[in-house]
Amino acid sequence: MIRTLIFDFDGTLHETGRIYVAAFRATREKLLADGYTVREYTDSEIEGWLGVNTPDMWAQFMPDLSPEQTDFYARYLGSVLNGLLSGPSAHLYDGAEETLTALKDQGYTMVILSNCMEAYRDAAIRRFGLDRWFTEFFCCQAYGDRPKEEIFPEIAGRYPGPFCVIGDRASDLKTAQVHGLHSIGCAYGYGTRAELAGADVIVDSVRNIPAAVGQFA
């Protein structure tokens, strides 16, 4: 029986596009004002970067920036995002709170493993009261932006197995595949179904996660 659930956050629990698209566009305006040429992006293009770690996102978005410039604008985007996170536009997916409560009541240990920045992690914990359900929130920035599969041993050293990884992007499934873990792909998030093809189970709603976890009993 699964003992510890490893959740992704953005696109799995948090409907992040509600605020990330606005934060990205504000950052684009800042870049334009500072003299950079930046094309327009559609909402779906912007949401495609959700779940990608910060260095990889900026290497794709603005590859010609210096490391110092990248750090400046990444922090700018993060500050706008964190401000929006405290406002009314920020939402967990409908049914997420009920799902997490049900899983906690069933006795699962739950942690979050996210490709996010530390300030965002802390803001999200405060905004949604995530410590009601989660024992710990691991973010890649705290580990030098290492990929999730390299951070998993930290989790395995602190929490009991067997484990199940739950997420909407290829990085989540890679963590499960590299370490031989069960996995649930969240098709309602920001990844593609092709990314999730290797998942043990694919769900179309956050509400379906408890039943999917139950299949591994």
Side-chain angles (χ1 to χ4, degrees), residues 16-210:
T16 320
R18 286 172 171 262
I19 59 173
Y20 185 77
V21 169
F24 180 93
R25 291 212 162 100
T27 304
R28 177 179 178 270
E29 291 300 319
K30 171 66 173 169
L31 285 159
L32 291 172
D34 289 347
Y36 295 95
T37 300
V38 189
R39 72 170 177 87
E40 291 189 14
Y41 288 82
T42 65
D43 287 3
S44 60
E45 286 179 309
I46 297 167
E47 289 174 347
W49 278 314
L50 284 164
V52 178
N53 71 21
T54 299
D56 289 345
M57 178 267 173
W58 281 90
Q60 296 169 30
F61 171 43
M62 295 290 288
D64 296 330
L65 294 181
S66 70
E68 294 76 18
Q69 291 166 329
T70 297
D71 182 67
F72 173 81
Y73 289 106
R75 291 183 182 279
Y76 182 87
L77 191 158
S79 68
V80 177
L81 186 66
N82 293 346
L84 293 170
L85 186 58
S86 65
S89 296
H91 277 272
L92 299 181
Y93 283 104
D94 289 343
E97 294 196 13
E98 295 87 344
T99 288
L100 294 172
T101 298
L103 290 168
K104 183 175 181 179
D105 289 346
Q106 291 172 36
Y108 293 104
T109 297
M110 295 187 289
V111 300
I112 293 174
L113 175 56
S114 171
N115 280 320
C116 71
M117 301 177 75
E118 292 174 274
Y120 177 82
R121 172 200 63 195
D122 297 342
I125 291 170
R126 291 192 300 270
R127 172 66 175 82
F128 298 116
L130 296 174
D131 49 6
R132 289 178 285 168
W133 306 290
F134 293 99
T135 307
E136 196 163 356
F137 190 142
F138 295 84
C139 69
C140 290
Q141 188 187 44
Y143 293 88
D145 289 309
R146 289 156 54 196
K148 290 183 176 184
E149 68 270 17
E150 292 184 14
I151 299 172
F152 170 73
E154 298 280 344
I155 297 173
R158 301 186 201 183
Y159 298 99
F163 300 90
C164 179
V165 177
I166 303 167
D168 69 316
R169 299 306 305 262
S171 59
D172 304 305
L173 295 194
K174 184 175 182 181
T175 302
Q177 291 162 354
V178 167
H179 296 284
L181 313 176
H182 287 298
S183 60
I184 296 172
C186 300
Y188 55 85
Y190 299 109
T192 65
R193 280 195 173 266
E195 284 184 68
L196 304 177
D200 293 326
V201 182
I202 295 178
V203 296
D204 292 308
S205 167
V206 69
R207 298 179 188 275
N208 295 335
I209 292 174

